[in-house]
Amino acid sequence: MRNRKGLAVLMRTPMRGAANRRQLLAATSPLPRSNGASSSGGFQDGDDSCKVSLTDVKEWMRQSISISPDKFESLDANLEEFSKGYLSLSVERRRELLFALARDYDVNRTRVRELMQQYLKIEFSRIEEGNGVLDELLLAACFRMERNLRDALKPMYSVFFERLNAHPGGLKILAVLRADLLLVMEKENMPSLRALDSYLKEKLITWLSPATLQLHQITWDDPASLLEKIVAYEAVHPIRSLHDLRRRLSIGRRCFGYFHPAIPGEPLIFIEVALLKGVAKAIQEVLWDDPPILEEEATCALFYSISSTQPGLSCINLGKFLIKRVIELVRRDIPNIVVFATLSPIPGYRKWLLSKLASQLKLANMEENNIKLSETCSSSTFKERLLLPDEERSICDSAKGLFEGKSAIEILEKLLTSLNNEWTRSDGLLGTLKSPLMRLCARYLLNEKKRGKALDPVANFHLQNGATLENINWMADPSEKGIIQSFGIMVNYVYRLEGIEENAQSYFSTGYITASWSVLQYLEKPKEADDAE
């Protein structure tokens, strides 16, 4: 049986990691390939025998909104036709439909204005001061108008979303629709589209509350179709072989997913856990420790990968609830586990640092050519010291004969953008770059903010869940992806159960980041930096 299961997964799922994930997403989720291919079971835009037009799909949508709710058969038939038709549409046709939905089925503002005018004519003083029958009638009129106002302020597409959600398979279609909407908004961020997205997001948050989700431990005994999805959707550390997949589901490992009854057989999000003797500082310790330690000897549950499978559920924080449920389950089943931590990537670090280096090089070039930014502002206003004096000397010395530049900043920029990341294959350069890259990484995680919260998306996720920024680990992921994201650096976040709620509230209200001394010390200013200033 086990051999048959492995053969089924191996035959159905090419182990190509991220490429395989993209292939599955392109086939089953938003915005199909431009040739009209679809996963809707033969209902394809390019198939003349069952081809549908955008006009057809719009009409099914209109009827689904306007039809009387007591005509269940007609309503279900229209929703079914819309679902199949929408999946068959090309990229451009889906875009046109979303614009029509946002524009033509928005709030009826004429009706809202009429109701507001009626409401403002009410003599509120008579209601507040009197106690007679007339006043009770006026109060009843107020209640009625307020109810009508609430109904009028709902966009007309609210009916469509409610009905589609109640239809079999409708929740999946709504997730695909929102994923398409997010992609459209990247290029055309119009107010009507933002309003449509905001409303649909709020509805999805309600429909996907923890009470509606089912937690399931994914094991090797699950259907091959589910294991295939785990391989394809793994977003952090690609599953590269059948042995790798089986390893992640066997002794010393756990994999949990959140499922919804309306989308059977497909996790909305899943998390992979390693049971270890201590907090791992490198991903190799997690993925390649063979044989694993005995589970009764483990003291740490390390969350090393969390993957969302539905792009349309972006910014709907299912991971927060999943982590807390998994902590509860592991504590109950394995009492010897007392530490709950992560080994997390830093996806935004490299992009941020290279942007900083580029801006400083541009400012230095302007200074050299005596160019002012404006009459009231010189380039020195925006100049900042990214490297400490000893780091500058070390970089210049280590790169002699390899990379030339006018300054340590220029040399560093050339090193970090070198072809095939040559610096990672030199022990000397690795030793030289460790200090500045680790220090600047601490600055990025602790000080760089967006709307008062951590700029890095993974950091923001764990911090808003109440975790502590515990360790920054050098060369924890030397893979190509790890170098491209964060120069191989990874982070440990620790979930201390006694402080989770307090940390989360502090971060939410003030943006304060709870961090260990081992991280904070990177921001301590060395004495020679003071002297240099």
Side-chain angles (χ1 to χ4, degrees):
M1 175 63 183
R2 289 182 179 274
N3 289 336
R4 288 200 299 272
K5 172 65 67 61
L7 181 61
V9 177
L10 186 62
M11 292 180 67
R12 293 174 57 176
T13 312
M15 302 291 176
R16 299 192 203 119
N20 190 47
R21 171 182 168 86
R22 289 193 296 271
Q23 183 181 27
L24 184 66
L25 286 173
T28 63
S29 287
L31 294 179
R33 293 173 293 279
S34 57
N35 63 6
S38 171
S39 63
S40 56
F43 199 90
Q44 297 179 352
D45 201 25
D47 188 345
D48 291 336
S49 64
C50 54
K51 186 176 181 180
V52 295
S53 68
L54 176 61
T55 302
D56 293 330
V57 182
K58 282 184 177 181
E59 179 60 20
W60 289 322
M61 180 174 68
R62 186 195 67 77
Q63 292 181 16
S64 298
I65 294 172
S66 61
I67 198 169
S68 175
D70 59 344
K71 297 181 179 179
F72 295 114
E73 292 185 3
S74 298
L75 178 59
D76 281 345
N78 276 290
L79 290 170
E80 184 67 21
E81 294 289 359
F82 169 82
S83 299
K84 291 181 180 180
Y86 183 80
L87 290 177
S88 76
L89 292 177
S90 66
V91 172
E92 183 58 30
R93 293 295 178 263
R94 290 193 192 186
R95 173 185 169 278
E96 290 181 37
L97 186 139
L98 290 171
F99 272 107
L101 183 61
R103 180 186 63 247
D104 301 338
Y105 297 94
D106 197 0
V107 173
N108 185 342
R109 293 182 176 82
T110 301
R111 175 62 175 158
V112 171
R113 186 165 57 249
E114 291 172 353
L115 290 170
M116 290 178 67
Q117 289 171 350
Q118 294 175 24
Y119 190 72
L120 291 173
K121 292 178 181 179
I122 296 176
E123 298 181 41
F124 289 99
S125 59
R126 295 175 60 184
I127 297 175
E128 295 167 358
E129 295 174 3
N131 295 308
V133 175
L134 178 60
D135 299 321
E136 288 295 329
L137 292 174
L138 283 173
L139 191 59
C142 279
F143 292 151
R144 185 167 58 252
M145 288 186 186
E146 287 160 359
R147 183 190 63 229
N148 292 338
L149 261 174
R150 284 193 297 271
D151 291 340
L153 285 168
K154 287 183 181 179
M156 288 177 277
Y157 46 67
S158 65
V159 175
F160 180 59
F161 292 156
E162 294 281 355
R163 292 177 173 181
L164 193 54
N165 178 59
H167 179 72
L171 183 61
K172 175 70 174 180
I173 296 298
L174 286 169
V176 173
L177 190 148
R178 182 166 184 258
D180 293 343
L181 180 58
L182 292 173
L183 290 176
V184 171
M185 288 171 59
E186 289 179 2
K187 296 181 179 179
E188 301 179 76
N189 193 10
M190 299 171 60
S192 58
L193 293 177
R194 292 199 302 270
L196 176 64
D197 174 63
S198 178
Y199 189 86
L200 180 53
K201 176 185 171 184
E202 289 179 8
K203 300 305 293 185
L204 288 170
I205 289 173
T206 300
W207 294 328
L208 295 172
S209 68
T212 67
L213 300 175
Q214 301 166 348
L215 181 67
H216 170 68
Q217 181 179 345
I218 300 164
T219 70
W220 184 254
D221 294 324
D222 277 308
S225 59
L226 173 56
L227 301 187
E228 177 187 5
K229 289 183 174 68
I230 296 302
V231 173
Y233 286 130
E234 165 59 56
V236 185
H237 302 292
I239 298 173
R240 302 189 180 280
S241 67
L242 187 62
H243 173 73
D244 188 9
L245 171 63
R246 191 164 183 173
R247 175 72 189 84
R248 299 190 193 198
L249 302 176
S250 61
I251 297 172
R253 297 293 181 271
R254 297 290 188 274
C255 181
F256 299 93
Y258 255 154
F259 292 76
H260 193 281
I263 310 178
E266 184 164 347
L268 304 182
I269 188 171
F270 62 92
I271 189 169
E272 297 171 68
V273 187
L275 306 179
L276 306 170
K277 286 187 177 180
V279 178
K281 301 296 180 65
I283 195 60
Q284 299 93 319
E285 300 174 37
V286 178
L287 298 181
W288 308 118
D289 66 327
D290 197 11
I293 67 167
L294 298 175
E295 291 191 0
E296 55 266 28
E297 296 178 3
T299 60
C300 171
L302 188 87
F303 309 130
Y304 64 94
S305 177
I306 184 166
S307 301
S308 176
T309 69
Q310 307 296 320
L313 303 185
S314 175
C315 298
I316 298 175
N317 195 353
L318 300 179
K320 172 182 178 180
F321 303 110
L322 178 59
I323 285 179
K324 291 185 176 180
R325 284 287 306 280
V326 169
I327 288 176
E328 291 173 2
L329 194 61
V330 172
R331 287 182 71 196
R332 186 194 70 192
D333 294 346
I334 316 175
N336 45 293
I337 298 292
V338 294
V339 177
F340 297 90
T342 80
L343 184 58
S344 300
I346 319 168
Y349 176 43
R350 185 177 190 272
K351 180 180 179 181
W352 169 82
L353 181 54
L354 292 181
S355 174
K356 281 286 184 182
L357 293 174
S359 65
Q360 293 306 303
L361 288 173
K362 184 176 181 179
L363 289 172
N365 183 62
M366 293 175 67
E367 279 192 344
E368 183 177 347
N369 292 284
N370 198 28
I371 301 173
K372 288 187 176 182
L373 289 174
S374 69
E375 292 298 323
T376 59
C377 182
S378 67
S379 60
S380 60
T381 306
F382 297 95
K383 193 172 183 180
E384 58 181 319
R385 179 178 287 278
L386 293 177
L387 298 174
L388 301 176
D390 63 326
E391 293 170 347
E392 291 181 342
R393 290 191 294 269
S394 181
I395 288 172
C396 291
D397 291 342
S398 298
K400 280 182 180 178
L402 297 173
F403 292 91
E404 299 298 331
K406 298 177 182 178
S407 66
I409 291 289
E410 185 176 350
I411 294 173
L412 179 60
E413 195 266 347
K414 288 183 177 180
L415 281 171
L416 297 181
T417 57
S418 61
L419 186 65
N420 299 322
N421 296 300
E422 294 178 20
W423 62 276
T424 62
R425 290 183 286 277
S426 166
D427 291 339
L429 289 174
L430 282 171
T432 295
L433 298 186
K434 179 179 179 179
S435 173
L437 291 183
M438 291 283 278
R439 181 178 55 77
L440 290 168
C441 183
R443 168 183 161 177
Y444 169 70
L445 292 170
L446 291 168
N447 293 349
E448 298 299 320
K449 303 291 182 73
K450 179 180 180 180
R451 299 190 184 98
K453 303 297 186 293
L455 178 61
D456 188 78
V458 174
N460 182 55
F461 170 76
H462 288 295
L463 293 170
Q464 70 180 350
N465 294 344
T468 297
L469 178 53
E470 191 73 12
N471 297 306
I472 303 178
N473 305 306
W474 177 246
M475 281 295 137
D477 182 7
S479 69
E480 181 181 0
K481 181 179 179 180
I483 298 298
I484 289 174
Q485 283 189 333
S486 56
F487 311 111
I489 302 173
M490 297 187 78
V491 183
N492 293 125
Y493 298 96
V494 172
Y495 284 84
R496 293 187 173 86
L497 305 185
E498 68 280 2
I500 284 180
E501 296 303 326
E502 182 180 350
N503 291 347
Q505 180 57 39
S506 177
Y507 181 72
F508 177 78
S509 58
T510 68
Y512 177 77
I513 296 174
T514 305
S516 69
W517 171 243
S518 67
V519 175
L520 293 173
Q521 67 179 348
Y522 283 109
L523 300 187
E524 289 289 306
K525 188 180 292 186
K527 184 177 185 302
E528 68 170 307
D530 290 326
D531 295 341
E533 293 178 1

